[in-house]
Amino acid sequence: MAERSSGAGAARAVLQRCVRATLQVRPAEHQAPAQFVQIDRGMVIYVCFFKGATDDILPKMVSTLLNLRLCESDSGKMVSVLELPGSLLVVPQATLGGKAKGRAMQYHNNIGKEDGLRLYSAFVSLCEKELTAATAAAGNVAEVTVKHGTPSSVVRGHRTVKARTVVQQCR
Amino acid sequence: MAERSSGAGAARAVLQRCVRATLQVRPAEHQAPAQFVQIDRGMVIYVCFFKGATDDILPKMVSTLLNLRLCESDSGKMVSVLELPGSLLVVPQATLGGKAKGRAMQYHNNIGKEDGLRLYSAFVSLCEKELTAATAAAGNVAEVTVKHGTPSSVVRGHRTVKARTVVQQCR
């Protein structure tokens, strides 16, 4: 989706619909096997908050993302993930806020760690609320869930899963 | 990576590093099994060209993407996919050019089909050239490859793989 203005905005999300998605949230260590969260049909949301982002943006942000008609129903109609109904896998992805400085990436516009964590948690809660409400309203008993990694879990799993997503605008 | 200017730019790419990535390029049909392309360690590049994009942008675009230090070497140092050396999986992803109009996505800024296909083919060729040169220069015998889907193959596989990636800027 193209930018809405010249500013960096308050947040950036990359949406990827899926028939199944798995996120490693903890690598194998010592005797403990690696841990994963997984969803079936639905959407993966990679999200990153920028400096200046506040809780105010979350309701509209969640509503926009979950109501976009990006998914195909069984009949081939374009519907939202709420209408599908599909599950959500939310991934904190600070690298989405990166800017290239030469060959290196810089993250000066990213929000601070604590504020980012708080916003991320609130974002996940809102997604859960919206998805639960939509599923209940439709009288749907399909098992749809919101799964997510935490910034620390993703960082811990980094070496193994190499999760890292970047958006590059080219002129 | 943040936008470099207020304009929509000429192209957009989403980079995702991977330890393995698989793209279904043809769904199972009749007696024929589904077909896939796969890479091991390296980077997935989702790419979309906008109206006005020309071949002129490709050399710098490919150079920028392949030289960004986004990957971790075995020693934990940040290196480019060329330095890793890693493989590339290039995916044409027209949905990256979408703009939300209410709940629907519009793609008015996307380049026309024929021009897009030509640019995409040239983009893949340039990636192959850069990767081959870098691997040879390093005297590296590791098997690194460029794999890709074609717009038509991805569209054909769409129903099955649900490949669809969107970038959303939130204010």
Side-chain angles (χ1 to χ4, degrees), chain A:
Chain A
M1 179 176 299
E3 309 308 307
R4 290 201 210 148
S5 81
S6 61
R12 173 173 286 165
V14 169
L15 312 179
Q16 205 164 29
R17 63 182 189 180
C18 62
V19 286
R20 178 167 296 178
T22 305
L23 176 70
Q24 181 176 306
V25 291
R26 189 184 290 252
E29 278 178 321
H30 310 301
Q31 301 297 320
Q35 287 179 20
F36 300 87
V37 290
Q38 181 174 307
I39 62 165
D40 290 320
R41 194 175 181 189
M43 198 161 72
V44 183
I45 305 180
Y46 303 89
V47 64
C48 168
F49 294 100
F50 294 109
K51 274 177 186 160
T54 60
D55 290 87
D56 302 350
I57 66 165
L58 296 180
K60 188 177 171 197
M61 181 178 173
V62 168
S63 172
T64 301
L65 298 180
L66 303 196
N67 283 295
L68 275 176
R69 295 199 186 99
L70 292 174
C71 304
E72 260 177 73
S73 71
D74 290 332
S75 62
K77 194 181 158 199
M78 296 306 292
V79 299
S80 71
V81 70
L82 293 179
E83 292 166 330
L84 197 55
S87 293
L88 289 173
L89 175 59
V90 191
V91 185
Q93 193 84 134
T95 50
L96 283 180
K99 264 191 178 180
K101 171 85 172 178
R103 301 175 54 199
M105 297 296 290
Q106 291 186 336
Y107 300 95
H108 299 320
N109 289 328
N110 280 25
I111 199 165
K113 196 174 168 184
E114 282 185 21
D115 285 338
L117 183 55
R118 188 177 48 76
L119 286 170
Y120 178 73
S121 300
F123 177 84
V124 170
S125 298
L126 262 181
C127 286
E128 284 170 339
K129 198 174 146 193
E130 292 277 327
L131 192 59
T132 305
T135 310
N140 210 308
V141 293
E143 191 189 341
V144 293
T145 54
V146 178
K147 301 283 179 68
H148 61 95
T150 63
S152 59
S153 73
V154 173
V155 169
R156 290 196 64 183
H158 223 219
R159 289 280 175 104
T160 313
V161 297
K162 308 284 177 193
R164 187 145 198 160
T165 310
V166 164
V167 179
Q168 167 76 50
Q169 192 84 354
C170 303
R171 299 197 67 79

Side-chain angles (χ1 to χ4, degrees), chain B:
Chain B
M1 180 174 302
E3 309 309 307
R4 290 200 211 149
S5 83
S6 61
R12 175 173 284 166
V14 169
L15 313 179
Q16 206 165 29
R17 64 181 187 178
C18 64
V19 286
R20 178 168 296 177
T22 305
L23 177 71
Q24 182 176 304
V25 291
R26 189 184 290 254
E29 278 179 319
H30 311 300
Q31 302 297 320
Q35 287 178 19
F36 299 88
V37 291
Q38 181 174 308
I39 61 164
D40 290 320
R41 194 176 182 189
M43 200 161 73
V44 183
I45 305 180
Y46 303 90
V47 64
C48 169
F49 294 99
F50 294 110
K51 275 178 185 158
T54 60
D55 289 88
D56 302 349
I57 66 165
L58 296 180
K60 189 178 171 195
M61 180 178 174
V62 169
S63 172
T64 301
L65 298 179
L66 303 196
N67 283 294
L68 274 176
R69 295 199 186 101
L70 292 173
C71 304
E72 260 177 74
S73 70
D74 290 332
S75 62
K77 193 182 158 196
M78 297 306 290
V79 298
S80 72
V81 69
L82 293 180
E83 292 166 329
L84 196 55
S87 293
L88 290 172
L89 176 59
V90 191
V91 186
Q93 192 83 134
T95 51
L96 284 180
K99 265 191 176 178
K101 171 84 173 180
R103 299 176 55 198
M105 298 296 289
Q106 291 187 337
Y107 300 95
H108 298 321
N109 288 328
N110 281 25
I111 199 166
K113 196 175 169 183
E114 282 186 22
D115 285 337
L117 182 55
R118 188 177 46 78
L119 285 171
Y120 178 72
S121 300
F123 177 85
V124 170
S125 298
L126 262 182
C127 286
E128 283 170 339
K129 197 175 145 192
E130 292 276 328
L131 191 59
T132 305
T135 310
N140 210 308
V141 293
E143 192 190 340
V144 293
T145 55
V146 178
K147 301 282 179 67
H148 62 95
T150 64
S152 60
S153 73
V154 173
V155 169
R156 291 196 64 183
H158 223 219
R159 288 281 174 104
T160 311
V161 298
K162 307 286 178 193
R164 188 145 197 158
T165 311
V166 164
V167 178
Q168 167 76 49
Q169 191 84 355
C170 303
R171 300 196 65 80

